[in-house]
Amino acid sequence: MAIRTIARLGEPILRRTASPVAREQLSSAWFEQLVADLVDTMRHADGAGLAAPQIFESFQVCVIEVGRDGKHNPRYPLLPDIPLRVFVNPQLTPLTTSYDFLLENESISMYEGCLSVPGLRGRVTRPRSVRLRALDVKGEAIDEVWSGPVAAVIQHEVDHLHGSVFLDRVDASTLCFLQEYERYVPPEERIVDHGAPRPKEG
Ligand code: ZN
């Protein structure tokens, strides 16, 4: 097990587009170690996800996991649990009516944080549904549709593979430190899924 140093904002590697992983690399010891280190480092830091550039590896690999062993993630207690997933060379297509603007009911606004931007939270609005095409850790094709908070987490991680961080998309007026976030941002404003199906009235 290896817990790696996490690149913080200002490290040039966070602003580079990562290289795709070649198919023949997927069965290598190097790749196996990279994925193991990503998972170990994410878990050690209580992250909800981690992308390879964040551990100084400029390759298109990211992992997500929320909650483990029946416990919610302490940094993101409001996120639904997501079992561990590994995405290699992921490609996202937003499932929105238009590429030019985001309809409110097709959006999700969530206060995001980032292990590479320690201590800050801020509200980011993203498409609430995305199609994800990627390879899994064994090279099998993934083609899935994700909606809601998980879709936002996936978009945050895939952004890292293209040199973007959440600060590039944040509503700057909502940026706050973690302690002030806990104090002033009411729980109902932390994740607002504008298109979430409403519970049926009964
Ligand atoms: Zn991040």
Side-chain angles (χ1 to χ4, degrees):
M1 144 160 191
I3 294 162
R4 305 268 291 261
T5 301
I6 295 177
R8 304 204 311 173
L9 194 67
E11 287 289 352
I13 198 164
L14 292 175
R15 292 310 195 170
R16 259 181 241 149
T17 296
S19 306
V21 179
R23 220 162 230 295
E24 54 274 18
Q25 290 177 302
L26 289 173
S27 48
S28 67
W30 163 82
F31 179 72
E32 194 179 328
Q33 190 63 51
L34 171 61
V35 172
D37 289 357
L38 267 175
V39 173
D40 289 342
T41 307
M42 170 181 67
R43 287 177 174 169
H44 179 75
D46 289 325
L50 196 63
Q54 293 182 276
I55 59 166
F56 295 89
E57 300 273 6
S58 197
F59 288 93
Q60 295 196 15
V61 188
C62 61
V63 295
I64 62 169
E65 183 183 49
V66 181
R68 199 158 54 94
D69 304 330
K71 286 190 209 115
H72 288 304
N73 181 298
R75 290 180 73 237
Y76 296 99
L78 297 176
L79 278 179
D81 287 356
I82 312 165
L84 178 66
R85 298 295 302 270
V86 180
F87 301 128
V88 181
N89 304 341
Q91 300 209 320
L92 287 180
T93 313
L95 299 178
T96 52
T97 309
S98 165
Y99 278 102
D100 301 325
F101 57 90
L102 193 52
L103 293 175
E104 196 188 6
N105 67 356
E106 292 176 341
S107 72
I108 182 165
S109 297
M110 197 163 101
Y111 274 76
E112 298 186 15
C114 182
L115 294 172
S116 296
V117 188
L120 279 180
R121 292 285 163 102
R123 192 174 63 210
V124 181
T125 299
R126 300 178 181 274
R128 71 173 300 277
S129 290
V130 289
R131 178 179 179 188
L132 168 72
R133 276 168 286 193
L135 299 177
D136 71 9
V137 75
K138 295 188 182 118
E140 302 284 333
I142 293 171
D143 188 346
E144 298 168 350
V145 170
W146 287 93
S147 298
V150 183
V153 173
I154 292 172
Q155 289 174 76
H156 177 119
E157 297 312 327
V158 172
D159 274 353
H160 277 300
L161 307 180
H162 300 279
S164 269
V165 297
F166 83 97
L167 296 177
D168 304 341
R169 302 182 186 276
V170 75
D171 172 350
S173 69
T174 66
L175 268 179
C176 52
F177 294 105
L178 199 48
Q179 198 176 343
E180 285 71 17
Y181 165 80
E182 300 283 1
R183 188 175 294 165
Y184 297 113
V185 182
E188 64 273 17
E189 286 179 21
R190 296 178 184 182
I191 300 176
V192 181
D193 186 347
H194 299 285
R198 300 232 168 99
K200 281 196 189 118
E201 288 173 28

